[in-house]
PDB file of all heavy atoms in Angstrom:
ATOM      1  N   THR A  35      42.142  13.026  36.142  1.00 91.00           N
ATOM      2  CA  THR A  35      43.331  13.865  36.276  1.00 91.00           C
ATOM      3  C   THR A  35      43.788  13.831  37.727  1.00 91.00           C
ATOM      4  O   THR A  35      43.030  13.471  38.632  1.00 91.00           O
ATOM      5  CB  THR A  35      43.040  15.317  35.867  1.00 91.00           C
ATOM      6  OG1 THR A  35      42.055  15.860  36.744  1.00 91.00           O
ATOM      7  CG2 THR A  35      42.540  15.378  34.418  1.00 91.00           C
ATOM      8  N   ALA A  36      45.027  14.229  37.939  1.00 89.00           N
ATOM      9  CA  ALA A  36      45.572  14.207  39.309  1.00 89.00           C
ATOM     10  C   ALA A  36      44.801  15.148  40.228  1.00 89.00           C
ATOM     11  O   ALA A  36      44.574  14.840  41.403  1.00 89.00           O
ATOM     12  CB  ALA A  36      47.050  14.589  39.269  1.00 89.00           C
ATOM     13  N   PHE A  37      44.370  16.289  39.689  1.00 89.00           N
ATOM     14  CA  PHE A  37      43.644  17.246  40.527  1.00 89.00           C
ATOM     15  C   PHE A  37      42.239  16.751  40.837  1.00 89.00           C
ATOM     16  O   PHE A  37      41.804  16.755  41.988  1.00 89.00           O
ATOM     17  CB  PHE A  37      43.589  18.605  39.820  1.00 89.00           C
ATOM     18  CG  PHE A  37      42.829  19.644  40.601  1.00 89.00           C
ATOM     19  CD1 PHE A  37      43.414  20.281  41.676  1.00 89.00           C
ATOM     20  CD2 PHE A  37      41.521  19.973  40.257  1.00 89.00           C
ATOM     21  CE1 PHE A  37      42.713  21.230  42.403  1.00 89.00           C
ATOM     22  CE2 PHE A  37      40.818  20.920  40.970  1.00 89.00           C
ATOM     23  CZ  PHE A  37      41.421  21.554  42.044  1.00 89.00           C
ATOM     24  N   ARG A  38      41.522  16.265  39.794  1.00 88.00           N
ATOM     25  CA  ARG A  38      40.144  15.811  39.981  1.00 88.00           C
ATOM     26  C   ARG A  38      40.088  14.550  40.833  1.00 88.00           C
ATOM     27  O   ARG A  38      39.152  14.361  41.613  1.00 88.00           O
ATOM     28  CB  ARG A  38      39.485  15.552  38.632  1.00 88.00           C
ATOM     29  CG  ARG A  38      39.243  16.795  37.795  1.00 88.00           C
ATOM     30  CD  ARG A  38      38.133  17.662  38.380  1.00 88.00           C
ATOM     31  NE  ARG A  38      37.756  18.737  37.498  1.00 88.00           N
ATOM     32  CZ  ARG A  38      36.819  18.660  36.567  1.00 88.00           C
ATOM     33  NH1 ARG A  38      36.165  17.509  36.402  1.00 88.00           N
ATOM     34  NH2 ARG A  38      36.521  19.686  35.821  1.00 88.00           N
ATOM     35  N   GLN A  39      41.057  13.678  40.693  1.00 87.00           N
ATOM     36  CA  GLN A  39      41.052  12.411  41.425  1.00 87.00           C
ATOM     37  C   GLN A  39      41.886  12.473  42.712  1.00 87.00           C
ATOM     38  O   GLN A  39      42.151  11.440  43.324  1.00 87.00           O
ATOM     39  CB  GLN A  39      41.583  11.290  40.506  1.00 87.00           C
ATOM     40  CG  GLN A  39      40.745  11.055  39.267  1.00 87.00           C
ATOM     41  CD  GLN A  39      39.337  10.594  39.618  1.00 87.00           C
ATOM     42  OE1 GLN A  39      39.110  10.010  40.666  1.00 87.00           O
ATOM     43  NE2 GLN A  39      38.379  10.873  38.719  1.00 87.00           N
ATOM     44  N   GLN A  40      42.314  13.696  43.078  1.00 87.00           N
ATOM     45  CA  GLN A  40      43.030  13.916  44.339  1.00 87.00           C
ATOM     46  C   GLN A  40      44.290  13.054  44.434  1.00 87.00           C
ATOM     47  O   GLN A  40      44.539  12.360  45.420  1.00 87.00           O
ATOM     48  CB  GLN A  40      42.116  13.652  45.540  1.00 87.00           C
ATOM     49  CG  GLN A  40      40.898  14.554  45.567  1.00 87.00           C
ATOM     50  CD  GLN A  40      40.046  14.340  46.795  1.00 87.00           C
ATOM     51  OE1 GLN A  40      40.499  13.737  47.767  1.00 87.00           O
ATOM     52  NE2 GLN A  40      38.820  14.829  46.756  1.00 87.00           N
ATOM     53  N   ARG A  41      45.073  13.116  43.369  1.00 88.00           N
ATOM     54  CA  ARG A  41      46.335  12.379  43.357  1.00 88.00           C
ATOM     55  C   ARG A  41      47.534  13.325  43.331  1.00 88.00           C
ATOM     56  O   ARG A  41      48.641  12.926  42.998  1.00 88.00           O
ATOM     57  CB  ARG A  41      46.397  11.458  42.135  1.00 88.00           C
ATOM     58  CG  ARG A  41      45.371  10.332  42.143  1.00 88.00           C
ATOM     59  CD  ARG A  41      45.744   9.266  41.121  1.00 88.00           C
ATOM     60  NE  ARG A  41      45.845   9.803  39.778  1.00 88.00           N
ATOM     61  CZ  ARG A  41      44.857   9.816  38.890  1.00 88.00           C
ATOM     62  NH1 ARG A  41      43.668   9.305  39.217  1.00 88.00           N
ATOM     63  NH2 ARG A  41      45.043  10.312  37.685  1.00 88.00           N
ATOM     64  N   LEU A  42      47.295  14.610  43.682  1.00 90.00           N
ATOM     65  CA  LEU A  42      48.398  15.565  43.709  1.00 90.00           C
ATOM     66  C   LEU A  42      49.384  15.198  44.809  1.00 90.00           C
ATOM     67  O   LEU A  42      49.018  14.633  45.844  1.00 90.00           O
ATOM     68  CB  LEU A  42      47.861  16.975  43.947  1.00 90.00           C
ATOM     69  CG  LEU A  42      47.025  17.591  42.823  1.00 90.00           C
ATOM     70  CD1 LEU A  42      46.483  18.940  43.265  1.00 90.00           C
ATOM     71  CD2 LEU A  42      47.882  17.751  41.569  1.00 90.00           C
ATOM     72  N   LYS A  43      50.621  15.550  44.596  1.00 89.00           N
ATOM     73  CA  LYS A  43      51.637  15.259  45.589  1.00 89.00           C
ATOM     74  C   LYS A  43      51.376  16.081  46.852  1.00 89.00           C
ATOM     75  O   LYS A  43      50.976  17.242  46.786  1.00 89.00           O
ATOM     76  CB  LYS A  43      53.018  15.591  45.036  1.00 89.00           C
ATOM     77  CG  LYS A  43      53.447  14.658  43.908  1.00 89.00           C
ATOM     78  CD  LYS A  43      54.856  14.992  43.447  1.00 89.00           C
ATOM     79  CE  LYS A  43      55.297  14.049  42.324  1.00 89.00           C
ATOM     80  NZ  LYS A  43      56.678  14.362  41.870  1.00 89.00           N
ATOM     81  N   ALA A  44      51.591  15.494  47.991  1.00 87.00           N
ATOM     82  CA  ALA A  44      51.364  16.172  49.269  1.00 87.00           C
ATOM     83  C   ALA A  44      52.505  15.831  50.214  1.00 87.00           C
ATOM     84  O   ALA A  44      53.182  14.802  50.060  1.00 87.00           O
ATOM     85  CB  ALA A  44      50.022  15.766  49.877  1.00 87.00           C
ATOM     86  N   TRP A  45      52.706  16.717  51.173  1.00 86.00           N
ATOM     87  CA  TRP A  45      53.747  16.499  52.186  1.00 86.00           C
ATOM     88  C   TRP A  45      53.117  16.585  53.562  1.00 86.00           C
ATOM     89  O   TRP A  45      52.365  17.506  53.849  1.00 86.00           O
ATOM     90  CB  TRP A  45      54.854  17.540  52.054  1.00 86.00           C
ATOM     91  CG  TRP A  45      55.927  17.425  53.108  1.00 86.00           C
ATOM     92  CD1 TRP A  45      57.004  16.601  53.097  1.00 86.00           C
ATOM     93  CD2 TRP A  45      55.992  18.157  54.328  1.00 86.00           C
ATOM     94  NE1 TRP A  45      57.755  16.770  54.227  1.00 86.00           N
ATOM     95  CE2 TRP A  45      57.154  17.730  55.016  1.00 86.00           C
ATOM     96  CE3 TRP A  45      55.198  19.131  54.922  1.00 86.00           C
ATOM     97  CZ2 TRP A  45      57.532  18.232  56.241  1.00 86.00           C
ATOM     98  CZ3 TRP A  45      55.573  19.646  56.152  1.00 86.00           C
ATOM     99  CH2 TRP A  45      56.739  19.190  56.798  1.00 86.00           C
ATOM    100  N   GLN A  46      53.387  15.628  54.387  1.00 84.00           N
ATOM    101  CA  GLN A  46      52.866  15.597  55.743  1.00 84.00           C
ATOM    102  C   GLN A  46      54.009  15.283  56.698  1.00 84.00           C
ATOM    103  O   GLN A  46      54.715  14.282  56.508  1.00 84.00           O
ATOM    104  CB  GLN A  46      51.765  14.538  55.868  1.00 84.00           C
ATOM    105  CG  GLN A  46      51.174  14.469  57.276  1.00 84.00           C
ATOM    106  CD  GLN A  46      50.055  13.441  57.357  1.00 84.00           C
ATOM    107  OE1 GLN A  46      49.700  12.832  56.358  1.00 84.00           O
ATOM    108  NE2 GLN A  46      49.528  13.246  58.554  1.00 84.00           N
ATOM    109  N   PRO A  47      54.222  16.142  57.679  1.00 83.00           N
ATOM    110  CA  PRO A  47      55.331  15.876  58.606  1.00 83.00           C
ATOM    111  C   PRO A  47      55.036  14.675  59.499  1.00 83.00           C
ATOM    112  O   PRO A  47      53.899  14.465  59.934  1.00 83.00           O
ATOM    113  CB  PRO A  47      55.410  17.165  59.427  1.00 83.00           C
ATOM    114  CG  PRO A  47      54.032  17.718  59.383  1.00 83.00           C
ATOM    115  CD  PRO A  47      53.491  17.360  58.029  1.00 83.00           C
ATOM    116  N   ILE A  48      56.036  13.900  59.758  1.00 82.00           N
ATOM    117  CA  ILE A  48      55.928  12.778  60.685  1.00 82.00           C
ATOM    118  C   ILE A  48      56.563  13.212  61.998  1.00 82.00           C
ATOM    119  O   ILE A  48      57.771  13.474  62.053  1.00 82.00           O
ATOM    120  CB  ILE A  48      56.617  11.520  60.129  1.00 82.00           C
ATOM    121  CG1 ILE A  48      55.943  11.088  58.821  1.00 82.00           C
ATOM    122  CG2 ILE A  48      56.577  10.390  61.151  1.00 82.00           C
ATOM    123  CD1 ILE A  48      56.621   9.905  58.154  1.00 82.00           C
ATOM    124  N   LEU A  49      55.755  13.342  63.012  1.00 85.00           N
ATOM    125  CA  LEU A  49      56.228  13.843  64.297  1.00 85.00           C
ATOM    126  C   LEU A  49      56.895  12.712  65.075  1.00 85.00           C
ATOM    127  O   LEU A  49      56.239  11.754  65.498  1.00 85.00           O
ATOM    128  CB  LEU A  49      55.061  14.435  65.099  1.00 85.00           C
ATOM    129  CG  LEU A  49      54.307  15.575  64.409  1.00 85.00           C
ATOM    130  CD1 LEU A  49      53.170  16.060  65.286  1.00 85.00           C
ATOM    131  CD2 LEU A  49      55.242  16.714  64.061  1.00 85.00           C
ATOM    132  N   THR A  50      58.174  12.840  65.217  1.00 87.00           N
ATOM    133  CA  THR A  50      58.954  11.868  65.975  1.00 87.00           C
ATOM    134  C   THR A  50      59.694  12.602  67.082  1.00 87.00           C
ATOM    135  O   THR A  50      59.842  13.829  67.037  1.00 87.00           O
ATOM    136  CB  THR A  50      59.957  11.156  65.052  1.00 87.00           C
ATOM    137  OG1 THR A  50      60.907  12.122  64.578  1.00 87.00           O
ATOM    138  CG2 THR A  50      59.257  10.497  63.871  1.00 87.00           C
ATOM    139  N   PRO A  51      60.172  11.892  68.092  1.00 88.00           N
ATOM    140  CA  PRO A  51      60.934  12.562  69.159  1.00 88.00           C
ATOM    141  C   PRO A  51      62.120  13.350  68.631  1.00 88.00           C
ATOM    142  O   PRO A  51      62.450  14.420  69.165  1.00 88.00           O
ATOM    143  CB  PRO A  51      61.367  11.398  70.053  1.00 88.00           C
ATOM    144  CG  PRO A  51      60.317  10.352  69.847  1.00 88.00           C
ATOM    145  CD  PRO A  51      59.925  10.466  68.418  1.00 88.00           C
ATOM    146  N   LYS A  52      62.761  12.876  67.576  1.00 88.00           N
ATOM    147  CA  LYS A  52      63.937  13.571  67.055  1.00 88.00           C
ATOM    148  C   LYS A  52      63.589  14.912  66.426  1.00 88.00           C
ATOM    149  O   LYS A  52      64.444  15.800  66.330  1.00 88.00           O
ATOM    150  CB  LYS A  52      64.641  12.677  66.028  1.00 88.00           C
ATOM    151  CG  LYS A  52      65.308  11.449  66.635  1.00 88.00           C
ATOM    152  CD  LYS A  52      66.044  10.657  65.568  1.00 88.00           C
ATOM    153  CE  LYS A  52      66.750   9.441  66.178  1.00 88.00           C
ATOM    154  NZ  LYS A  52      67.480   8.656  65.164  1.00 88.00           N
ATOM    155  N   THR A  53      62.345  15.078  65.985  1.00 89.00           N
ATOM    156  CA  THR A  53      61.937  16.356  65.384  1.00 89.00           C
ATOM    157  C   THR A  53      61.190  17.235  66.374  1.00 89.00           C
ATOM    158  O   THR A  53      61.320  18.465  66.348  1.00 89.00           O
ATOM    159  CB  THR A  53      61.045  16.100  64.162  1.00 89.00           C
ATOM    160  OG1 THR A  53      59.891  15.331  64.561  1.00 89.00           O
ATOM    161  CG2 THR A  53      61.806  15.357  63.089  1.00 89.00           C
ATOM    162  N   VAL A  54      60.397  16.638  67.263  1.00 91.00           N
ATOM    163  CA  VAL A  54      59.569  17.429  68.177  1.00 91.00           C
ATOM    164  C   VAL A  54      60.383  18.005  69.328  1.00 91.00           C
ATOM    165  O   VAL A  54      60.240  19.182  69.681  1.00 91.00           O
ATOM    166  CB  VAL A  54      58.403  16.570  68.711  1.00 91.00           C
ATOM    167  CG1 VAL A  54      57.650  17.321  69.800  1.00 91.00           C
ATOM    168  CG2 VAL A  54      57.466  16.193  67.583  1.00 91.00           C
ATOM    169  N   LEU A  55      61.247  17.203  69.928  1.00 93.00           N
ATOM    170  CA  LEU A  55      61.991  17.670  71.099  1.00 93.00           C
ATOM    171  C   LEU A  55      62.887  18.860  70.787  1.00 93.00           C
ATOM    172  O   LEU A  55      62.883  19.853  71.529  1.00 93.00           O
ATOM    173  CB  LEU A  55      62.800  16.505  71.688  1.00 93.00           C
ATOM    174  CG  LEU A  55      61.965  15.356  72.275  1.00 93.00           C
ATOM    175  CD1 LEU A  55      62.866  14.259  72.811  1.00 93.00           C
ATOM    176  CD2 LEU A  55      61.055  15.876  73.392  1.00 93.00           C
ATOM    177  N   PRO A  56      63.672  18.845  69.704  1.00 94.00           N
ATOM    178  CA  PRO A  56      64.456  20.051  69.388  1.00 94.00           C
ATOM    179  C   PRO A  56      63.587  21.274  69.128  1.00 94.00           C
ATOM    180  O   PRO A  56      63.979  22.400  69.437  1.00 94.00           O
ATOM    181  CB  PRO A  56      65.236  19.642  68.137  1.00 94.00           C
ATOM    182  CG  PRO A  56      65.292  18.165  68.183  1.00 94.00           C
ATOM    183  CD  PRO A  56      64.004  17.734  68.802  1.00 94.00           C
ATOM    184  N   LEU A  57      62.393  21.041  68.560  1.00 94.00           N
ATOM    185  CA  LEU A  57      61.496  22.168  68.287  1.00 94.00           C
ATOM    186  C   LEU A  57      61.032  22.821  69.590  1.00 94.00           C
ATOM    187  O   LEU A  57      60.976  24.054  69.692  1.00 94.00           O
ATOM    188  CB  LEU A  57      60.295  21.680  67.471  1.00 94.00           C
ATOM    189  CG  LEU A  57      59.320  22.755  67.001  1.00 94.00           C
ATOM    190  CD1 LEU A  57      60.017  23.737  66.079  1.00 94.00           C
ATOM    191  CD2 LEU A  57      58.132  22.116  66.282  1.00 94.00           C
ATOM    192  N   PHE A  58      60.696  22.012  70.595  1.00 95.00           N
ATOM    193  CA  PHE A  58      60.308  22.563  71.893  1.00 95.00           C
ATOM    194  C   PHE A  58      61.431  23.422  72.472  1.00 95.00           C
ATOM    195  O   PHE A  58      61.210  24.551  72.926  1.00 95.00           O
ATOM    196  CB  PHE A  58      59.960  21.430  72.861  1.00 95.00           C
ATOM    197  CG  PHE A  58      58.522  21.026  72.833  1.00 95.00           C
ATOM    198  CD1 PHE A  58      58.128  19.818  72.281  1.00 95.00           C
ATOM    199  CD2 PHE A  58      57.554  21.852  73.355  1.00 95.00           C
ATOM    200  CE1 PHE A  58      56.796  19.441  72.252  1.00 95.00           C
ATOM    201  CE2 PHE A  58      56.218  21.489  73.338  1.00 95.00           C
ATOM    202  CZ  PHE A  58      55.828  20.280  72.785  1.00 95.00           C
ATOM    203  N   PHE A  59      62.630  22.895  72.468  1.00 96.00           N
ATOM    204  CA  PHE A  59      63.754  23.633  73.048  1.00 96.00           C
ATOM    205  C   PHE A  59      64.073  24.886  72.232  1.00 96.00           C
ATOM    206  O   PHE A  59      64.421  25.931  72.801  1.00 96.00           O
ATOM    207  CB  PHE A  59      64.991  22.722  73.136  1.00 96.00           C
ATOM    208  CG  PHE A  59      64.893  21.691  74.218  1.00 96.00           C
ATOM    209  CD1 PHE A  59      64.775  20.341  73.907  1.00 96.00           C
ATOM    210  CD2 PHE A  59      64.908  22.061  75.556  1.00 96.00           C
ATOM    211  CE1 PHE A  59      64.682  19.383  74.907  1.00 96.00           C
ATOM    212  CE2 PHE A  59      64.808  21.103  76.557  1.00 96.00           C
ATOM    213  CZ  PHE A  59      64.706  19.763  76.237  1.00 96.00           C
ATOM    214  N   ALA A  60      63.944  24.801  70.919  1.00 96.00           N
ATOM    215  CA  ALA A  60      64.229  25.970  70.072  1.00 96.00           C
ATOM    216  C   ALA A  60      63.238  27.099  70.353  1.00 96.00           C
ATOM    217  O   ALA A  60      63.627  28.274  70.482  1.00 96.00           O
ATOM    218  CB  ALA A  60      64.175  25.565  68.598  1.00 96.00           C
ATOM    219  N   ILE A  61      61.947  26.744  70.461  1.00 96.00           N
ATOM    220  CA  ILE A  61      60.943  27.774  70.763  1.00 96.00           C
ATOM    221  C   ILE A  61      61.218  28.390  72.125  1.00 96.00           C
ATOM    222  O   ILE A  61      61.146  29.614  72.306  1.00 96.00           O
ATOM    223  CB  ILE A  61      59.526  27.164  70.702  1.00 96.00           C
ATOM    224  CG1 ILE A  61      59.183  26.753  69.278  1.00 96.00           C
ATOM    225  CG2 ILE A  61      58.495  28.156  71.230  1.00 96.00           C
ATOM    226  CD1 ILE A  61      57.852  26.045  69.144  1.00 96.00           C
TER     227      ILE A  61
END
Side-chain angles (χ1 to χ4, degrees):
T35 63
F37 179 78
R38 292 289 189 90
Q39 298 297 334
Q40 300 183 16
R41 294 196 302 267
L42 292 176
K43 292 183 179 180
W45 177 84
Q46 180 178 357
I48 299 176
L49 302 179
T50 65
K52 291 183 178 180
T53 58
V54 172
L55 294 179
L57 185 62
F58 270 108
F59 287 112
I61 293 175

